[in-house]
């Protein structure tokens, strides 16, 4: 049996050598189990089998299982043979290799050092096991970026090979190749090239120019040129290899297929995508025929072809190929294999390009999670996937903090594992700096980009592709800092080097063309900028086609420049072409379709980071004032941004107004009133004036802006239509009947024009629909208003998503409108109220987890507002217990309020809403006792609380039959409150009332509403007459408070339960109200005069019926 088990191990090794890894692993496991049973786990043969099984598992990518078998073998051999035995040391060296391949080079280094020292001592430097350990340690140093430490090991091994085997021996040439790769990594390119040429020369001489090993050496040199960006040097070498293999081995040979793939990869880098695609297709066809559909090389060809199709925009076929590759990897290796993770990552790249960011994020997270569990958090593959996820989150814009955290981890992880100047580390630093640039932390971004660029130039040279990319990134930061004189030389050098190395129409070259154009535009050198933008458009169009994403982006950039130049006639169709192209190619939700409307300062304000935004704006403004003066256009732009920040924060509106007026004055003087920058300032100033209550001036400015845009752009231009909508909003705010009618007409015209010009689902069209709905509601056309809001909500759900903050706000507005319509007796009131409730619940649920400004534990004001409105709605429709739950959440949002007297009152309301009226009474009693103890029994606040307590007792009586003492208590409380605070004699005896002061008006209003709710309309009438008299005295006859009280008194007089039932007086009061509202047009009062007219008609109808009966 023992001999049989050893034979099984030997046979397993043979199977492994012939590529039958899965079968070999099963045989090793069977043999190991048998040896352990027959001989014991610590027997030498059992330990040797465990070590060999670990080596096989490493070759199959099962690193964690391999590590366990290796560790067990090292521990057993150390115990049986000793730590310094050659078998133990060789096994220890293999264990270090397993650790290194998992990305754990820090753990592998001391293990391999120990093994190498022992092997050198026991076997000498020239022994194969010692050589293998030294090579492994050199590889560990290289993976850590410690190339200088690896070099002496590689030189020593080369010397040994040359002395023992000669300079032309195959093993010697392998050592030469490893040293050449080390020189490449150190940037010693001339020395590396000499070593590669040495290998080629020896193999050509000894083996011939067409031998496979000779051609492999040629490929290695080509790969070095390709990795250094010297594509023109690499291409003829790759073509030589392919031609030789085709001639000598045939089209279908595996070596020919590999040569096709290598040349295709180079051509892809050069932007020759059509030829690259053809080569990749041929390689795939060859490998499928020769190796089968589930072979490693075949699956790699699927991945390669999918990648080039993705770059060409062939997303559908690329996705199909990636899915085939993923299925094949899962079948070949399983779900948790590194090659499977790589396909998941590549599939994520495809979905990102397609604009399906949600699916891309899912795939990135899956690849990252799998790699983290299998390879460790700091493995290079894990960090790559993490970087891609961070870039995606940065693109999405709604997870900036997580993106920054991921970028930081990638940067620190690579610096730790690879060293501070490893190319991968430097790429991470540059990428992180780009994120900081997007966050407008420009000084830090500049420092990091400068550090990365200097290191790239030092390690790789000025013309290396990574150096040029970093050079472009640094220039972008400098442009953001307005350091144009520093940025321009970088842009021009990057462009010149890319033209020389890659050609004028390469994608990277055209990217540099775009960057230079952006700089020139920022410098107001529009003619030069236009030349470079047009060159970029022509280059992308000829290289990638008219519908490619990069082509569309370049057209958009040209359109933006033309718009800045005032060339609207040419800019508009270009912008439309880009928009339709992105919609057709990527979909309406793709970031490239939406990015044109995003601005960094707006992002900060939406995230409520007002202090940071204000600080940035002030710093830029001060810098421009010092450099250019207060009237320079750049200074005015910075001042405009600062004013917007102050306005959004809402705390310094006075300063914001002053800055807006200064910017408007300066721009009107420099550019004229009809210039787009001036008109934009007019719009912003008008919006601010509305916030300050100066609606009349805002309306005048907006009207002037509309007139100017009509003359300059035409009535149907999108900017004109938007301006008309803004004017309509101010007319609505004024609230008069004539203003509302004009607003309605403007919005109808704007809506029609925007639907024709922009489409139904454009954001501007949807915004117009929302405002039109509000105006219709103000005019009493509730049914039509509801329909407009429903259309707007559906379009927003389709375009920006159902969970977008703007969508949720529209949903909440629609909920309130439905509730109001239901109260007015709209058709299907129950259904309307149910729809309102459902919308309110949806918005509340989405906002519950809304991130707060400073803490994850505090919900945002939007979430609290939606919950408060939901609580009110639930209370109204009789769902008191659930309303109480929402009240409680609102209270919990403000810990300081909970401890205050007002907080106790809110708690009572919450408890009362839940139907626990007895508990509410207890809380109200405590409040009343506290106020009496603090201020005295006759204090107005004490009497107001007394009234609330009485109301709570009355509610409690409805729930549980109260005894006579409770009824008397409530009655006495109400009487005391009325006698001592609201009136000088009890209202129940209809006595004459003395004059009250203005501070009591709100309390008088509250009590009258309470009496109306309880059905005591005659008593409410007395209080409303008193309140109306006081309104005349305190506010005058044309004040909104006077009209409101007049309106309420008229409705109370019409109540059938009111003995007065004076319809004629009610009609007279409503007539006076309507007349007063019409006279008061132009004030900020927003009473609905159309609704007054409808109520008048209803009362007259009732009065007529009453007379007839």
């Amino acid at each position: 049996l023992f001999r049989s088990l050893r034979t099984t191990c030997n046979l397993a090794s043979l199977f492994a050598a012939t590529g039958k890894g899965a079968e070999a692993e099963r045989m090793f496991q069977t043999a190991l189990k048998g040896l352990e049973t027959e001989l014991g786990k610590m027997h030498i043969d059992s330990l040797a089998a465990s070590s060999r099984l670990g080596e096989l598992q490493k070759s199959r990518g099962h690193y964690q299982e391999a590590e366990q078998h290796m560790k067990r073998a090292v521990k057993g051999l150390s115990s049986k043979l000793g730590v310094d035995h050659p078998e133990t040391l060789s096994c220890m060296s293999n264990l270090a290799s397993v650790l290194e391949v998992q990305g754990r080079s820090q753990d592998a280094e001391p293990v391999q050092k120990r093994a190498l020292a022992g092997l050198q001592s026991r076997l000498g430097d020239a022994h194969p096991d010692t050589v293998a350990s030294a090579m492994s340690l050199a590889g560990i140093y290289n993976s850590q970026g410690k190339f200088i430490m690896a070099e002496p090991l590689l030189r020593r091994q080369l010397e040994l090979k040359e002395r023992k085997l000669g300079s032309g021996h195959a093993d010697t040439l392998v050592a030469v190749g490893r040293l050449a790769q080390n020189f490449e990594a150190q940037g010693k390119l001339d020395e590396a090239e000499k070593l590669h040429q040495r290998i080629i020369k020896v193999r050509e001489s000894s083996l011939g120019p067409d031998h496979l090993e000779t051609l492999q050496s040629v490929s290695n040199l080509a790969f070095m040129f390709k990795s250094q960006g010297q594509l023109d040097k690499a291409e003829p070498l790759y073509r030589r290899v392919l031609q030789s293999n085709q001639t000598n081995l045939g089209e279908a040979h595996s070596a020919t297929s590999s040569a096709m793939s290598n040349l295709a990869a180079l051509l892809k880098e050069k932007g020759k995508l059509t030829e690259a695609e053809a080569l990749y297709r041929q390689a795939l066809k060859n490998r499928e025929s020769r190796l089968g559909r589930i072979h490693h090389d075949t699956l790699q060809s699927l991945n390669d072809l999918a990648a080039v199709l993705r770059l060409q925009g062939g997303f559908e076929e690329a996705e199909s190929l990636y899915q085939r590759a993923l299925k094949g990897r899962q079948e070949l290796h399983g779900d948790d294999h590194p090659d499977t993770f790589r396909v998941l990552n590549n599939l994520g790249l495809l979905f990102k390009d397609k604009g399906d960011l949600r699916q891309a994020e899912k795939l990135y997270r899956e690849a990252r999670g799998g790699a983290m569990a299998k390879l460790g958090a700091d493995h290079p593959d894990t960090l790559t996937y993490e970087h891609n996820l961070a870039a995606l989150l940065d693109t999405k814009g709604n997870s900036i903090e997580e993106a920054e955290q991921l970028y930081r981890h990638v940067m620190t992880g690579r610096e730790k594992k690879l060293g501070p100047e490893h190319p991968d580390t430097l790429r991470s630093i540059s990428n992180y700096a780009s994120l900081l640039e997007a966050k407008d932390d420009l000084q830090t971004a500049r420092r990091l980009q400068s550090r990365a660029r200097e290191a790239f130039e030092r390690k790789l040279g000025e013309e290396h592709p990574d150096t040029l990319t970093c050079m472009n990134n640094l220039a972008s930061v400098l442009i953001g800092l307005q350091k144009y004189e520093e940025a321009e030389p970088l842009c021009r050098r990057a462009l010149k080097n890319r033209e020389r190395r890659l050609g004028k129409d390469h994608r990277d070259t055209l990217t540099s063309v775009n960057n230079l154009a952006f700089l020139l535009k920022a410098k107001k050198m529009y003619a030069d900028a236009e030349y470079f933008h047009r060159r970029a458009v022509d280059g992308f169009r000829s290289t990638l086609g008219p519908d490619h994403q990069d082509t569309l982006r370049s057209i958009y950039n040209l359109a933006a420049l033309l718009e800045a130049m005032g060339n609207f006639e040419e800019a508009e169709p270009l912008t439309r072409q880009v928009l339709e192209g992105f919609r057709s190619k990527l979909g309406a939700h793709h970031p490239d379709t939406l990015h044109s409307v995003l601005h960094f300062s707006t992002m900060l304000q939406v995230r409520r980071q007002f202090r940071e935004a204000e600080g940035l704006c002030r710093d830029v403004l001060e810098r421009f004032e010092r450099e250019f003066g207060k009237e320079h256009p750049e200074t005015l732009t910075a001042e405009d941004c600062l004013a917007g920040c102050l306005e959004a924060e809402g705390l310094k509106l006075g300063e914001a107004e002053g800055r807006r007026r200064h910017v408007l004055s300066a721009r009107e003087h420099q550019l004229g009133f009809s210039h787009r920058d001036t008109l934009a300032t007019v719009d912003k100033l008008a919006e601010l004036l509305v916030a300050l209550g100066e609606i009349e001036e805002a309306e005048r400015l907006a009207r002037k802006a509309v007139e100017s845009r009509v003359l300059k752009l035409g009535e149907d231009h999108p900017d004109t239509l938007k301006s008309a909508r803004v004017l309509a909003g101010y007319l609505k705010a004024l609230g008069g009947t004539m203003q509302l009618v004009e607003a309605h007409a403007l919005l109808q015209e704007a809506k029609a024009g925007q639907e024709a010009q922009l489409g139904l689902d454009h954001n501007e069209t949807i915004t117009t629909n929302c405002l039109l709905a509000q105006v219709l509601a103000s005019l009493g056309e509730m049914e039509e208003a509801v329909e407009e809001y429903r259309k707007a909500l559906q379009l927003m759900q389709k375009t920006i998503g159902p969970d977008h903050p703007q969508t949720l706000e529209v949903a909440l507005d629609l909920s309130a409108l439905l509730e109001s319509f239901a109260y007015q007796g709209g058709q299907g009131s129950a259904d309307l109220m149910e729809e309102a409730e459902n919308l309110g619940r949806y918005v509340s649920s989405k906002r519950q987890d809304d991130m707060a400004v400073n803490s994850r534990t505090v919900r945002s004001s939007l979430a609290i507002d939606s919950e408060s409105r939901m609580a009110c709605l639930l209370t109204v429709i009789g769902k008191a217990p659930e309303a109480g739950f929402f009240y409680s959440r609102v209270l919990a949002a403000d810990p300081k309020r909970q401890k205050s007297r007002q907080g106790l009152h809110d708690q009572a309301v919450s408890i009362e809403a839940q139907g626990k009226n007895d508990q509410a009474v207890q809380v109200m009693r405590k409040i009343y006792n506290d106020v009496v103890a603090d201020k005295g029994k006759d204090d107005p606040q004490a009497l107001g609380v007394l009234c609330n307590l009485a109301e709570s007792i009355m509610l409690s009586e409805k729930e549980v039959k109260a005894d006579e003492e409770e009824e008397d208590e409530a009655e006495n409380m109400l009487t005391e409150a009325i006698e001592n605070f609201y009136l000088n004699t009890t209202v129940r005896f209809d006595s004459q009332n003395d004059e009250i002061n203005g501070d009591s008006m709100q309390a008088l209003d509250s009590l009258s509403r309470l009496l109306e709710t309880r059905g005591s309309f005659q008593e409410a009438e007395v209080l409303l007459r008193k309140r109306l008299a006081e309104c005349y005295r305190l506010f005058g006859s044309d004040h909104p408070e006077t009209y409101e009280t007049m309106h309420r008194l008229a409705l109370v007089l019409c109540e059938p339960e009111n003995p007065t039932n004076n319809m004629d007086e009610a009609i007279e009061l409503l007539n006076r109200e309507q007349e007063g509202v019409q006279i008061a047009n132009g004030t900020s009062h927003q009473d609905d005069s159309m609704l007054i007219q409808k109520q008048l008609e209803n009362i007259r109808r009732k009065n007529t019926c009453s007379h007839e009966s």
Side-chain angles (χ1 to χ4, degrees):
L1 179 60
F2 170 68
R3 285 194 297 272
S4 175
L5 293 172
R6 294 189 66 177
T7 301
T8 301
C9 286
N10 293 333
L11 184 59
S13 297
L14 179 62
F15 277 20
T18 57
K20 300 178 181 179
E23 190 172 351
E25 185 172 348
R26 287 193 296 270
M27 295 179 69
F28 264 129
Q29 289 172 338
T30 300
L32 176 60
K33 185 177 181 180
L35 289 169
E36 289 176 343
T37 301
E38 290 294 317
L39 305 176
K41 291 185 176 181
M42 295 298 290
H43 192 276
I44 294 298
D45 287 327
S46 299
L47 296 171
S50 180
S51 176
R52 292 166 71 183
L53 175 57
E55 291 181 49
L56 174 62
Q57 289 172 328
K58 174 195 170 188
S59 68
R60 300 192 67 219
H62 300 163
Y63 302 128
Q64 292 178 336
E65 296 89 337
E67 180 183 346
Q68 295 304 316
H69 282 105
M70 292 288 191
K71 284 183 175 179
R72 177 180 161 195
V74 169
K75 183 178 180 181
L77 291 171
S78 298
S79 175
K80 298 290 288 186
L81 303 177
V83 178
D84 293 326
H85 191 280
E87 289 291 335
T88 306
L89 295 169
S90 295
C91 190
M92 190 181 298
S93 177
N94 291 334
L95 172 60
S97 298
V98 172
L99 295 173
E100 193 273 331
V101 78
Q102 294 182 74
R104 295 159 58 187
S105 56
Q106 298 289 344
D107 298 331
E109 182 181 346
V111 178
Q112 196 62 262
K113 280 184 175 180
R114 175 72 182 83
L116 178 59
L119 290 168
Q120 286 173 330
S121 174
R122 295 297 298 271
L123 304 177
D125 286 344
H127 191 277
D129 287 350
T130 308
V131 172
S133 178
M135 291 298 95
S136 179
L137 181 58
I140 291 171
Y141 284 145
N142 283 333
S143 68
Q144 293 177 305
K146 300 176 180 178
F147 305 116
I148 296 177
M149 296 180 67
E151 183 180 343
L153 289 171
L154 295 169
R155 284 187 181 276
R156 175 60 178 160
Q157 297 311 309
L158 177 58
E159 291 172 4
L160 291 172
K161 296 286 186 183
E162 287 178 329
R163 186 166 61 247
K164 183 177 180 179
L165 303 173
S167 60
H169 192 276
D171 289 346
T172 304
L173 296 177
V174 170
V176 173
R178 288 177 175 172
L179 183 58
Q181 292 172 354
N182 178 268
F183 286 161
E184 289 176 37
Q186 292 188 67
K188 299 179 179 179
L189 303 182
D190 291 339
E191 295 178 58
E193 184 177 350
K194 290 177 182 178
L195 291 176
H196 280 300
Q197 294 287 7
R198 169 186 166 182
I199 298 171
I200 294 172
K201 183 177 181 180
V202 170
R203 285 179 171 166
E204 284 180 335
S205 175
S206 61
L207 302 175
D210 295 321
H211 191 277
L212 284 177
E213 291 188 20
T214 305
L215 296 175
Q216 182 59 52
S217 300
V218 175
S219 288
N220 291 340
L221 177 59
F223 180 80
M224 186 196 81
F225 286 141
K226 174 176 173 286
S227 64
Q228 299 300 320
Q230 300 181 49
L231 305 185
D232 289 337
K233 286 187 176 181
E235 184 174 350
L237 297 175
Y238 276 134
R239 290 192 182 277
R240 168 189 166 181
V241 174
L242 176 59
Q243 183 177 0
S244 177
N245 285 335
Q246 288 172 326
T247 301
N248 295 292
L249 303 175
E251 288 284 344
H253 195 279
S254 58
T256 307
S257 299
S258 296
M260 287 178 180
S261 295
N262 291 336
L263 177 57
L266 174 76
L267 295 172
K268 184 177 75 171
E269 287 293 314
K270 296 191 73 173
K272 299 178 179 180
L273 302 181
T274 302
E275 186 179 357
E277 179 189 346
L279 287 169
Y280 276 138
R281 287 191 185 278
Q282 185 61 46
L284 174 60
K285 181 180 178 181
N286 292 344
R287 285 170 170 171
E288 284 182 330
S289 174
R290 189 178 183 87
L291 304 174
R293 297 172 66 87
I294 310 297
H295 189 277
H296 171 83
D297 291 347
T298 306
L299 297 174
Q300 184 60 47
S301 285
L302 285 172
N303 185 83
D304 293 339
L305 178 57
V308 77
L309 290 171
R310 175 176 68 84
L311 292 175
Q312 291 177 288
F315 298 139
E316 185 174 348
E317 184 181 0
E319 182 178 352
S320 174
L321 292 171
Y322 275 135
Q323 293 290 1
R324 279 179 56 193
L326 177 61
K327 185 178 179 181
R329 291 295 182 189
Q330 290 170 333
E331 183 177 340
L332 184 63
H333 303 300
D335 290 339
D336 62 346
H337 192 276
D339 287 342
T340 305
F341 305 147
R342 293 187 187 102
V343 181
L344 287 171
N345 174 73
N346 293 338
L347 195 54
L349 291 170
L350 172 69
F351 277 104
K352 180 184 178 184
D353 285 350
K354 287 177 63 177
D356 190 347
L357 302 187
R358 183 175 301 177
Q359 183 66 15
E361 181 179 348
K362 177 185 175 184
L363 290 164
Y364 284 150
R365 291 190 186 279
E366 188 176 349
R368 172 179 173 250
M372 188 174 293
K374 186 74 174 179
L375 306 175
D378 293 330
H379 189 276
D381 285 355
T382 307
L383 296 174
T384 296
Y385 308 148
E386 200 162 273
H387 167 268
N388 291 341
L389 175 59
L392 175 73
L393 295 174
D394 184 19
T395 298
K396 289 179 67 176
N398 59 350
S399 303
I400 298 299
E401 297 302 326
E402 184 182 1
E404 182 174 357
Q405 183 180 13
L406 290 171
Y407 270 133
R408 282 182 178 276
H409 179 256
V410 173
M411 183 174 67
T412 56
R414 284 176 171 169
E415 190 165 0
K416 174 184 175 183
K417 301 297 288 187
L418 306 175
E421 293 197 351
H422 190 280
D424 287 346
T425 304
L426 297 176
R427 291 188 199 101
S428 298
I429 292 171
S430 182
N431 291 330
Y432 176 57
S434 295
L435 175 68
L436 293 177
E437 179 188 356
K439 293 185 67 177
D440 213 38
D441 187 359
L442 298 180
Q443 294 294 352
T444 307
R446 178 186 183 183
R447 176 174 56 81
L448 291 174
Q449 292 288 15
S450 296
R451 168 190 165 188
R453 175 210 165 199
E454 291 169 3
F456 272 132
E457 287 188 354
R458 186 165 55 251
K459 300 290 289 187
L460 304 177
E462 183 179 296
E463 296 186 356
H464 190 277
D466 287 340
T467 307
L468 298 175
T469 297
C470 190
M471 194 180 292
N472 267 324
N473 293 340
L474 175 58
S476 175
V477 176
L478 292 171
I479 292 171
L481 287 167
Q482 311 300 326
K483 303 291 185 180
Y484 303 133
E485 301 309 317
E486 295 180 47
E488 186 170 350
L490 292 174
C491 288
R492 293 190 181 277
R493 282 168 55 194
L495 175 58
K496 182 179 179 180
N497 286 329
R498 282 178 165 169
E499 284 178 335
R500 182 170 61 253
R501 297 177 70 88
L502 305 175
K504 289 192 173 183
D505 289 334
H506 190 276
R507 292 176 70 183
D508 290 346
T509 305
L510 295 173
T511 299
S512 289
V513 171
N514 256 327
N515 292 341
L516 179 57
F518 278 125
L519 169 66
L520 296 170
K521 175 186 174 184
K523 294 181 69 175
K524 309 299 181 186
M525 298 171 64
Y526 291 140
D528 292 345
E530 182 179 355
Y531 165 78
F532 284 104
H533 271 309
R534 292 190 185 277
R535 174 183 162 184
V537 170
D538 294 339
F540 280 122
R541 185 180 285 138
S542 63
T543 303
L544 303 175
D547 297 326
H548 193 276
Q549 293 162 258
D550 290 346
T551 306
L552 294 171
R553 292 191 192 102
S554 66
I555 295 172
Y556 172 80
N557 295 334
L558 174 60
L561 173 68
L562 294 170
E563 187 177 357
M565 297 169 65
N567 187 354
F568 301 107
E569 291 185 2
E570 186 176 0
E572 183 180 352
L574 288 174
T575 303
R576 189 182 304 280
Q577 178 185 347
V578 172
L579 179 59
E580 294 304 322
F582 278 135
R583 281 179 176 169
S584 173
K585 192 75 174 178
L586 305 173
H589 300 165
H590 191 277
D592 288 338
T593 312
L594 303 173
H595 277 173
S596 60
V597 297
L598 299 179
H599 301 284
F600 177 68
S601 61
T602 304
M603 182 191 75
L604 286 178
Q605 292 171 28
V606 169
R607 296 177 65 203
R608 306 185 67 81
Q609 296 179 356
F610 298 120
R611 291 186 180 179
E612 181 182 356
E614 180 182 345
L616 291 171
C617 289
R618 287 191 187 278
D619 290 344
V620 174
L621 176 61
E622 291 172 3
R623 184 161 57 248
F624 282 150
E625 285 179 340
R626 289 195 302 269
E627 188 170 353
F628 302 123
K630 291 188 176 182
E631 306 301 317
H632 191 276
E634 297 290 355
T635 309
L636 296 174
T637 299
E639 186 171 11
D640 191 56
C641 291
L642 174 59
C645 178
L646 298 172
E647 183 178 348
E649 189 173 7
L651 300 178
K652 302 174 183 178
L653 296 183
E655 181 185 353
E657 181 187 2
R659 293 192 178 280
R660 291 279 192 220
R661 291 188 184 279
H662 173 253
V663 174
L664 175 57
S665 175
R667 284 182 170 168
E668 186 173 2
H669 175 73
Q670 294 175 7
L671 307 172
F673 187 83
S674 61
H675 191 278
R676 66 185 313 271
D677 290 345
T678 309
L679 292 173
T681 308
V682 169
D683 294 339
K684 293 171 185 176
L685 175 58
E687 185 177 358
L688 176 58
L689 289 171
V690 171
L692 292 168
E694 301 294 335
I695 306 176
E696 291 87 350
E697 184 181 357
E699 183 263 340
R700 289 194 296 270
L701 283 172
R703 191 177 295 278
K704 188 176 179 183
V706 171
E707 294 168 353
S708 179
R709 283 178 170 133
V710 168
L711 291 174
K712 185 176 180 64
L713 306 174
E715 293 182 349
D716 294 330
H717 192 279
D719 287 350
T720 307
L721 298 172
K722 178 181 178 180
S723 187
R725 186 196 71 222
V726 171
L727 172 59
Y730 300 151
L731 290 169
K732 175 186 174 297
L734 289 171
T737 303
M738 297 302 296
Q739 285 92 336
L740 289 172
V741 170
E742 183 183 0
H744 181 265
L746 285 170
L747 290 170
Q748 291 282 25
E749 294 177 4
K751 177 185 174 184
Q754 287 172 337
E755 287 177 350
Q757 296 285 332
L758 306 174
L760 285 170
D761 58 353
H762 193 279
N763 181 59
E764 290 296 332
T765 310
I766 295 170
T767 304
T768 300
N769 282 349
C770 291
L771 183 57
L772 177 59
Q774 296 171 22
V775 171
L776 287 168
S778 298
L779 289 169
E781 301 295 336
M782 298 296 290
E783 186 172 354
E784 191 176 347
V786 166
E787 287 306 311
E788 285 292 337
Y789 251 125
R790 283 174 176 158
K791 292 177 186 176
L793 179 59
Q794 290 172 359
L795 289 169
M796 293 186 79
Q797 289 171 336
K798 173 185 174 184
T799 53
I800 62 176
D803 300 340
H804 193 280
Q806 294 178 9
T807 308
L808 296 177
E809 189 63 30
V810 171
L812 205 58
D813 290 341
L814 175 57
S815 175
L817 184 62
L818 290 165
E819 180 185 350
S820 177
F821 190 24
Y823 271 128
Q824 294 182 25
Q827 186 175 2
S829 296
D831 293 338
L832 293 172
M833 193 63 77
E834 182 180 358
E835 184 181 354
E837 179 185 351
N838 291 337
L839 285 170
R841 287 184 186 279
Y842 180 77
V843 175
S844 179
S845 67
K846 290 300 178 183
R847 285 180 171 174
Q848 280 177 7
D849 298 326
D850 201 15
M851 291 303 298
V853 179
N854 298 316
S855 172
R856 291 178 178 268
T857 61
V858 182
R859 285 172 292 120
S860 73
S861 58
L862 286 175
I864 296 170
D865 174 65
S866 60
E867 288 173 347
S868 177
R869 292 168 69 169
M870 190 64 202
C872 295
L873 176 60
L874 290 169
T875 302
V876 168
I877 62 178
K879 298 185 178 181
E882 193 175 359
F885 166 77
F886 281 96
Y887 276 128
S888 299
R889 285 184 61 86
V890 174
L891 290 171
D894 190 351
K896 293 182 179 179
R897 182 182 179 91
Q898 294 177 34
K899 300 176 182 179
S900 66
R901 189 173 293 154
Q902 182 61 49
L904 287 174
H905 179 269
D906 291 342
Q907 291 177 36
V909 173
S910 174
I911 294 169
E912 198 169 77
Q914 298 176 57
K916 302 175 182 178
N917 295 317
D918 288 341
Q919 295 182 30
V921 169
Q922 293 175 11
V923 176
M924 292 301 300
R925 285 189 191 280
K926 182 181 186 310
I927 297 173
Y928 177 67
N929 292 333
D930 289 346
V931 174
V932 169
D934 184 33
K935 296 180 176 294
K937 187 176 182 180
D938 295 332
D939 186 83
Q941 185 177 353
L943 292 168
V945 174
L946 184 64
C947 187
N948 292 333
L949 175 56
E951 182 182 356
S952 295
I953 293 173
M954 297 298 289
L955 287 173
S956 180
E957 290 175 5
K958 294 179 181 178
E959 182 183 298
V960 180
K961 180 65 177 177
D963 55 30
E964 292 184 1
E965 291 183 3
E966 289 178 332
E967 292 179 353
D968 292 342
E969 181 184 17
E971 183 75 14
N972 292 335
M973 286 179 177
L974 284 171
T975 302
E976 181 180 357
I978 293 168
E979 287 179 344
N980 293 306
F981 183 53
Y982 297 111
L983 306 172
N984 287 337
T985 58
T986 176
V987 69
R988 294 184 180 280
F989 300 104
D990 200 19
S991 300
Q992 294 297 316
N993 304 323
D994 292 340
E995 195 174 79
I996 62 175
N997 58 40
D999 293 337
S1000 305
M1001 290 293 286
Q1002 186 59 44
L1004 183 59
D1005 178 71
S1006 300
L1007 182 57
S1008 65
R1009 292 181 187 275
L1010 174 63
L1011 291 171
E1012 287 182 62
T1013 303
R1014 293 172 57 191
S1016 302
F1017 294 110
Q1018 190 171 25
E1019 296 171 0
E1021 177 189 340
V1022 174
L1023 295 180
L1024 286 169
R1025 289 187 185 280
K1026 176 63 179 176
R1027 192 175 192 280
L1028 182 58
E1030 292 304 315
C1031 283
Y1032 279 125
R1033 183 178 68 84
L1034 293 171
F1035 309 125
S1037 61
D1038 60 350
H1039 193 274
E1041 288 286 333
T1042 306
Y1043 294 137
E1044 181 186 1
T1045 307
M1046 196 180 293
H1047 191 93
R1048 288 185 52 212
L1049 176 57
L1051 297 181
V1052 167
L1053 287 170
C1054 297
E1055 289 293 339
E1057 293 84 354
N1058 185 0
T1060 304
N1061 199 237
N1062 192 337
M1063 295 284 190
D1064 292 334
E1065 185 180 359
I1067 292 173
E1068 181 184 352
L1069 286 169
L1070 288 176
N1071 279 326
R1072 285 165 56 191
E1073 180 192 4
Q1074 187 176 42
E1075 181 182 355
V1077 168
Q1078 291 174 348
I1079 293 174
N1081 280 344
T1083 70
S1084 60
H1085 179 50
Q1086 298 183 42
D1087 198 5
D1088 192 347
S1089 59
M1090 298 296 289
L1091 187 59
I1092 298 171
Q1093 181 63 38
K1094 289 187 176 183
Q1095 289 172 334
L1096 266 171
E1097 293 172 0
N1098 290 335
I1099 292 173
R1100 289 188 179 113
R1101 200 160 40 245
K1102 290 180 182 179
N1103 197 25
T1104 301
C1105 293
S1106 175
H1107 287 314
E1108 289 176 354
S1109 62

